[in-house]
Amino acid sequence: MKRRALLALVGGAIGFALPAFAQQKEPSLSEQDRRQIEALGKKNDEAWSKSDAAALATLFSEDALLVGPGSMISGREAIQKRYEDFFKNLVGLTLPKSMFESGASLAPGHLTNVSKTVELHPIDNNTAWAVGQWMQTGPGPNNTVKELHGNWATLNERIGNAWKWRLEIYNVDPSPPTTSTATPSPTTTPSNP
């Protein structure tokens, strides 16, 4: 009888303890840390608009990974080289038909990138993850504007007093992109809600 009472007491204690463990709060980020992590997206957008591979590379940690459709690039130097090659070959670059319905080449001009953070969560005081959406417009043939869009995820790491991307993963949405005939003003970009 004492054994049953003891088992019932232990079972009750476990029954009360498990929900308490399950309800543990996630670590919190200071408002300053949150702003610094979100600022990485704005710096990314600015660097894309300037075709600045070096500025894009500074967003990553030294041993970062960049994972996109069909590629995985390791290390800040290799990431910078990838962006340098991309920007160097941007004019006349033939894009796959999966990205643009015509598989057309880009005309001279620059890209506009707009990213939006959807969720941002800390893992601990020096690590956080975020997910969001991106949209990129670039000049197409015959004064058209081509649009790509997709989703991204980052693992952010505090290095000293700065936050860097340790991992960025992105995809390109396979749904048909939009085509318009008006070129947007370079000073007008959609605002992040």
Side-chain angles (χ1 to χ4, degrees):
M1 191 69 144
K2 289 183 182 181
R3 186 174 276 177
R4 281 190 201 161
L6 182 60
L7 287 174
L9 182 61
V10 170
I14 291 172
F16 286 113
L18 286 178
F21 285 122
Q23 292 178 4
Q24 286 181 349
K25 290 186 176 183
E26 107 180 343
S28 63
L29 285 172
S30 71
E31 192 57 37
Q32 179 182 3
D33 286 337
R34 187 172 290 282
R35 281 193 306 268
Q36 286 179 3
I37 293 169
E38 289 176 344
L40 293 172
K42 289 177 177 53
K43 291 175 183 177
N44 176 66
D45 295 345
E46 292 167 7
W48 271 100
S49 295
K50 295 175 183 175
S51 299
D52 189 343
L56 281 167
T58 64
L59 302 174
F60 292 87
S61 67
E62 282 293 327
D63 55 352
L65 275 173
L66 174 62
V67 181
S71 69
M72 183 174 1
I73 300 154
S74 179
R76 183 188 295 160
E77 255 183 63
I79 291 168
Q80 181 171 339
K81 173 92 171 86
R82 184 246 190 220
Y83 285 127
E84 287 170 352
D85 291 346
F86 179 83
F87 292 134
K88 185 172 108 180
N89 297 314
L90 185 60
V91 175
L93 176 70
T94 300
L95 299 168
K97 287 187 180 186
S98 63
M99 296 173 105
F100 293 125
E101 67 280 358
S102 65
S105 297
L106 287 176
H110 74 279
L111 298 173
T112 300
N113 198 79
V114 178
S115 10
K116 178 177 104 174
T117 301
V118 175
E119 289 194 35
L120 171 58
H121 297 276
I123 296 170
D124 58 32
N125 290 336
N126 296 310
T127 317
W129 63 270
V131 294
Q133 301 167 327
W134 63 272
M135 179 187 73
Q136 199 170 74
T137 56
N142 304 319
N143 294 321
T144 60
V145 174
K146 297 291 185 174
E147 177 183 303
L148 291 173
H149 56 279
N151 303 299
W152 56 263
T154 58
L155 179 62
N156 307 279
E157 177 179 50
R158 185 194 316 265
I159 299 173
N161 292 326
W163 285 90
K164 301 284 184 181
W165 290 335
R166 167 87 170 151
L167 170 67
E168 181 187 20
I169 302 170
Y170 69 94
N171 71 358
V172 178
D173 190 335
S175 64
T178 60
T179 303
S180 67
T181 54
T183 303
S185 164
T187 58
T188 306
T189 57
S191 61
N192 289 343

